[in-house]
């Protein structure tokens, strides 16, 4: 799935992306580290892998991998 980097904190290596429909989705350091990235700037196109966790309150999406989108 593709998205656009929205926020990134280099201190915590976490941030958020905007899906193509405008939905924000947070990512943690684990997803950032799994992709092998060193830096991320808002506006960059990224590829994400998402898992869906089923909870009592409904489904929750979690980014497990974040890489730069290349053509």
């Amino acid at each position: 799935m593709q998205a656009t980097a929205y926020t990134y904190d280099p201190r915590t290596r976490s941030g958020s992306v905007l899906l193509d429909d405008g939905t924000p989705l947070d990512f943690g350091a684990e997803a950032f580290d799994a992709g092998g990235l060193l830096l991320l700037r808002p506006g960059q196109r990224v590829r994400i892998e998402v898992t869906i966790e089923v909870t009592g309150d409904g489904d929750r999406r979690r980014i497990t991998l974040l890489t730069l989108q290349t053509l």
Side-chain angles (χ1 to χ4, degrees):
M1 171 183 309
Q2 294 182 24
T4 302
Y6 185 57
T7 64
Y8 174 67
D9 181 350
R11 191 175 97 283
T12 62
R13 297 182 327 279
S14 62
S16 63
V17 300
L18 292 177
L19 302 180
D20 289 343
D21 67 0
T23 303
L25 192 56
D26 295 334
F27 65 87
E30 313 83 36
F32 185 81
D33 293 344
L37 296 176
L38 299 177
L39 180 64
L40 187 63
R41 291 186 304 268
Q44 286 182 300
R45 289 294 287 174
V46 293
R47 188 178 68 80
I48 59 174
E49 290 184 11
V50 177
T51 60
I52 299 175
E53 299 172 351
V54 179
T55 65
D57 298 330
D59 296 346
R60 193 187 107 167
R61 293 184 284 182
R62 185 172 68 91
I63 297 176
T64 57
L65 178 70
L66 178 81
T67 59
L68 289 180
Q69 176 63 36
T70 58
L71 298 176

